[in-house]
């Protein structure tokens, strides 16, 4: 089936879109809702204030026309803060809690609107780059132009996704202007890194451009026996034979060696205080032979052709492969009041992903009102060939702990191939109903095939699901740059397995109602947004009260929240990003003894503020100062609500000075070296959060 979908997608969409050719070719492109046919993943921003986003509509849509909350981390924001991970890059977006499981660089982890988006939430250039097995296809901020965070269900355009939202990263693209940049940095824990970003036109006819981005990093994290190593190189080429056609080829080869998260028991909470506290060195030491290695390669292209002023066809595709070698020796609960249980876990995995998304954008009039229709067909495939080993026979005393001894590799308990394929047909329409009222409606049919081939036994499984989802939204232009909006959206996540009676589990479903308002002042370069939302998640798996070791789908979760965001860029050199999030989260139905409780990891309050000032006087020209504060409220480590992770507040700072083609920068995260826990779980110990990190960078143009 997938060969049919992929092979016929382009001619099918051309046939569907042929009506668009009949439109008046002289239609004014600036009138009403007619959208530009720019690269669908381009983030058109000025400084810290975003202007448009493609993530919510798959067209380059002004933010005022998007009836759903979206936060955009611009290239200027990345330059000011110099984040080292994708989690750090989105740490000032309201409603987003990065690294909820602690210092873990294996793959990106976020909460969005209180939902752990886990395997479903990361996209690159509009295509899924989800975790499969233990392979996460990590991205480095140096390779990115910007990041969009779309909040709430978005299944119409993206298929199976968690209701919290998605994070889409935009890869740096070739430029037709000469580009020569580089940097050298010395960072925390004796970490050195250097990066190169070069490109420009090829020849003199203006049809070819190239870009080469690369990075080398070697060092440690805050733990002894840790690793913080990365090397990647990303060649890219754009061919633009005429004003209507563009194809960009993007490739990436990457090699990582990082360290898993560390969790340890706390005296007086996980075990009696009389047994004594663990020595400090254990909180600063990664056990021997605990590492995460990943060899990643990917290649794809972005194609766009404008057949007429009313018809544009686009196609995006990417294939990727990751070889994962992962081993972790970790605290696995208390064996007794005086002894810890430790487990040795290993992974050898080859993961492969492929995705293609083909779209036809048709601009036409309905009763004299401009409309934009997007028709699409997409396909994705994720496969993980995995072998897992496990041995939890280790006992380590609290009084005299030792985690440095040699261990044999544990026996393999899981060996097989997990394959998930998704096919989708979708349509999304945006229409100008009046000069002020804009509406959108979307519909998708998705088919998901999930297979597991067991190499150890005969437990092969196969499950097919299908789901019809829709969304609707509207925005209304008031005077003075004020735009209220409202929307309804649905989402789903597939569940594998069957209940006691042999009935296959249905997908977990979600629906969101959201209302909000945006204000873009007429005299100030700023965008201020506020949103209220309610997300209900149903068909959640919960314990079968009548049959042990089985599940039923009567669980329900409800998240209601408020978000506020402000992006400001003033003429006097001051820019800022501020955000606040409040979430009332509740398990409304469950057989697990946690009905009425707050879901795990979800803080009630979260707030952030980042400001930067570029000095305007001639004597201080080139100097800028930045500072930020981030607050994450308390949360529970699991849904039993028996153990709370305390709130924490972190302060960041930046100092930059540019003289000609050279810039020096000093960036500090957790400036006050706040000691805090990212998560504490009942019986599972606590994971420390990030320590203070100081990085000195010298950047240069050449």
């Amino acid at each position: 089936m997938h060969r049919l979908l992929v092979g016929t997608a382009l001619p099918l969409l051309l046939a569907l879109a042929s009506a668009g050719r009949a439109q008046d070719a002289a239609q004014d492109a600036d009138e009403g809702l007619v959208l530009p046919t720019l690269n669908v993943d381009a983030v058109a921003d000025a400084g810290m204030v975003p202007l448009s986003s493609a993530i919510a509509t798959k067209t380059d849509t002004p933010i005022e026309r998007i009836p759903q909350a979206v936060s955009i981390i611009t290239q200027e924001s990345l330059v000011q803060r110099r984040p080292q991970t994708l989690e750090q890059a989105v740490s000032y977006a309201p409603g987003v809690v990065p690294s909820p499981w602690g210092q873990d660089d294996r793959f990106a982890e976020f909460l969005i609107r209180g939902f752990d988006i886990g395997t479903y939430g990361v996209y690159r250039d509009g295509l899924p780059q989800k975790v499969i097995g233990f392979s996460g296809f990590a991205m480095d901020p140096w390779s990115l132009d910007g990041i969009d965070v779309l909040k709430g269900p978005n299944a119409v355009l993206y298929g199976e996704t968690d209701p919290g939202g998605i994070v889409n990263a935009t890869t740096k693209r070739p430029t037709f202007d000469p580009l020569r940049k580089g940097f050298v940095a010395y960072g925390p824990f004796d970490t050195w890194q250097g990066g190169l970003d070069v490109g420009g036109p090829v020849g003199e006819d203006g049809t070819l451009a190239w870009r080469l981005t690369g990075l080398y990093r070697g060092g440690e994290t805050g733990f002894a026996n840790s690793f913080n190593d990365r090397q990647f190189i990303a060649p890219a080429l754009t061919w633009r034979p005429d004003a209507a056609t563009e194809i960009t080829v993007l490739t990436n080869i990457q090699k990582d060696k990082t360290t898993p998260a560390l969790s340890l028991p706390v005296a007086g909470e996980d075990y009696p205080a009389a047994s004594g506290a663990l020595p400090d060195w254990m909180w600063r030491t990664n056990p021997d032979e605990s590492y995460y290695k990943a060899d990643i390669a990917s290649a794809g292209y972005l194609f766009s052709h404008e057949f007429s002023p009313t018809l544009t066809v686009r196609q995006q595709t990417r294939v990727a492969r990751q070889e994962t070698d992962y081993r972790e020796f970790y605290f696995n609960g208390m064996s007794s009041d005086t002894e810890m249980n430790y487990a040795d876990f290993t992974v050898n995995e080859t993961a492969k992903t492929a995705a293609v998304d083909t779209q036809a954008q048709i601009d036409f009039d309905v009763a004299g009102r401009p409309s934009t229709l997007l028709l699409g067909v997409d396909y994705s495939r994720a496969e993980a060939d995995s072998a897992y080993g496990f041995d939890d026979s280790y006992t380590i005393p609290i009084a005299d702990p030792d985690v440095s001894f040699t261990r044999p590799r544990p026996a393999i308990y899981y060996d097989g191939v997990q394959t998930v394929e998704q096919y989708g047909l979708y349509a999304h329409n945006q229409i100008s109903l009046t000069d002020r009222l804009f509406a959108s409606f979307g519909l998708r049919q998705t088919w998901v095939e999930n297979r597991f081939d067991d190499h150890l036994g005969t437990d092969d499984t196969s499950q097919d699901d299908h789901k019809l989802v829709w969304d609707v939204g509207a925005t209304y232009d008031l005077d003075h740059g004020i735009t209220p909006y409202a929307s309804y959206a649905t989402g789903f996540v597939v569940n594998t397995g069957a209940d006691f009676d042999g009935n296959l589990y249905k997908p977990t479903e979600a629906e969101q109602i959201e209302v909000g308002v945006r204000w873009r002042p007429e005299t100030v370069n700023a965008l201020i947004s506020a949103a209220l939302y309610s997300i209900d998640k149903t068909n959640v798996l919960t314990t079968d009260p009548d049959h042990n070791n089985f599940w039923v789908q009567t669980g329900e979760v409800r998240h209601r929240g408020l978000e506020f965001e402000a992006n400001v860029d003033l003429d006097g050199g001051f820019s800022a990003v501020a955000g606040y999030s409040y979430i009332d989260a509740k398990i409304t139905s469950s057989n697990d003894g946690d009905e009425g409780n707050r879901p795990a990891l979800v803080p009630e309050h979260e707030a952030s503020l980042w400001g930067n000032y570029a000095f305007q006087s001639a004597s201080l020209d080139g100097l800028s100062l930045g500072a930020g504060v981030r607050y994450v409220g308390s949360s529970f480590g699991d849904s039993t609500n028996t153990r709370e992770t305390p709130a924490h507040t972190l302060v960041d700072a930046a100092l930059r000075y540019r003289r000609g083609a050279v810039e020096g920068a000093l960036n500090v995260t957790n400036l006050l070296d706040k000691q805090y826990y990212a998560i504490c779980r009942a019986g599972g110990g606590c994971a420390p959060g990030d320590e203070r990190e100081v990085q000195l960078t010298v950047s240069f143009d050449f």
Side-chain angles (χ1 to χ4, degrees), residues 474-629:
T475 67
Y476 190 84
D477 289 349
L478 299 175
D479 294 329
H480 310 297
I482 299 174
T483 308
Y485 68 86
S487 64
Y488 172 85
T490 58
F492 71 97
V493 175
V494 168
N495 298 299
T496 59
D499 62 18
F500 179 80
D501 296 322
N503 300 310
L504 294 176
Y505 293 129
K506 299 177 182 178
T508 293
E509 300 177 352
E511 61 178 9
Q512 173 183 270
I513 297 174
E514 179 175 331
V515 295
V517 62
R518 294 185 176 94
W519 178 38
R520 194 181 294 275
E522 297 173 345
T523 59
V524 176
N525 184 18
L527 180 66
I528 300 171
S529 308
L532 286 168
Y533 64 87
S534 178
I535 302 175
D536 288 295
K537 193 173 181 179
T538 57
N539 283 349
V540 178
L541 295 179
T542 184
T543 301
D544 186 338
D546 300 319
H547 306 97
N548 291 334
N549 301 318
F550 284 90
W551 303 84
V552 292
Q553 290 189 272
T554 58
E556 297 181 4
V557 178
R558 184 194 67 209
H559 288 203
R560 293 175 176 172
L562 163 69
E563 289 172 356
F564 169 84
E565 183 171 12
N567 302 74
V568 180
D569 227 333
L570 303 181
D571 291 337
F574 177 76
S575 58
V577 176
Y580 169 75
S581 170
Y582 166 78
I583 302 176
D584 174 21
K586 187 177 182 179
I587 300 170
T588 53
S589 178
S590 175
N591 298 329
D592 300 330
D594 53 7
E595 186 172 318
N597 288 356
R598 192 172 182 84
L601 305 178
V602 186
E604 189 173 20
H605 300 278
E606 176 261 333
S608 62
L609 171 64
W610 172 268
N612 189 84
Y613 179 70
F615 288 86
Q616 303 297 294
S617 65
S619 60
L620 296 176
D621 183 43
L623 179 66
S624 66
L625 297 174
V629 59

Side-chain angles (χ1 to χ4, degrees), residues 56 65-69 113 150-157 163 427-429 438-444 467-475 485-492 509-516 532-538:
R65 299 289 177 266
I66 299 174
Q68 197 169 346
R113 291 191 166 173
L150 177 63
K151 301 168 188 176
N154 41 72
V156 166
L157 292 179
H428 188 267
N429 190 68
F438 298 83
S440 64
F441 176 78
L443 189 68
R444 167 190 277 263
K467 189 66 181 172
L468 181 69
V469 292
W470 63 284
D471 61 28
V472 61
T475 67
Y485 68 86
S487 64
Y488 172 85
T490 58
F492 71 97
E509 300 177 352
E511 61 178 9
Q512 173 183 270
I513 297 174
E514 179 175 331
V515 295
L532 286 168
Y533 64 87
S534 178
I535 302 175
D536 288 295
K537 193 173 181 179
T538 57

